[in-house]
Amino acid sequence: LIATKNALQRPRPAAASKQVLALGGTPRLPTAYPSGGVVFTTVTAIVLSKMVPEKRFELSERNREYAVNRVVLGQHFPRDIRAGEIAGTVITHAMMETPAFMRDLQAARTELRQVLGYPAEPEAPRLATPK
């Protein structure tokens, strides 16, 4: 990710325009594209959604809220956020193609569901019946 940021050298909003006030403090890296924070939160939200699908909507909404807040804070442009979401999704897909990761994910899923007091397997979603 850092190599991508270094190659693209996209400045953060406050560096691109004096009209932008960065409210989130000084970022660790001077470049913004893609948003590394959003890559991380997207991977996390997808993986947790695989573990607790009952919470996938809330996890997705929280990930989106985090991403939008990065723009509001003047740390990223919307395109940086979208690139982070795409990269996080691609990374997660690649991880889920790895048998060792899937074994670890299943073990973690079982443990997390037990700790949360959820049934071992989530209930199948109920479809609305037409009236």
Side-chain angles (χ1 to χ4, degrees), residues 51 105-115 118 120-121:
M51 297 167 77
L105 177 65
Q106 184 57 41
R109 180 180 186 267
T110 299
E111 183 178 346
L112 179 61
R113 293 187 68 78
Q114 183 179 24
V115 167
Y118 281 55
E121 292 298 323

Side-chain angles (χ1 to χ4, degrees), residues 53-114:
E54 298 92 332
K55 295 292 184 181
R56 79 177 149 256
F57 177 77
E58 291 88 344
L59 290 162
S60 177
E61 286 296 303
R62 181 62 188 104
N63 184 48
R64 192 79 194 119
E65 180 182 357
Y66 173 83
V68 169
N69 284 341
R70 301 297 293 157
V71 174
V72 170
L73 288 172
Q75 297 294 323
H76 287 286
F77 292 102
R79 188 170 293 173
D80 306 335
I81 299 307
R82 188 66 186 127
E85 292 168 339
I86 292 168
T89 301
V90 170
I91 289 166
T92 307
H93 178 75
M95 289 169 29
M96 292 194 179
E97 293 291 316
T98 307
F101 175 81
M102 291 306 292
R103 279 191 302 276
D104 290 346
L105 177 65
Q106 184 57 41
R109 180 180 186 267
T110 299
E111 183 178 346
L112 179 61
R113 293 187 68 78
Q114 183 179 24

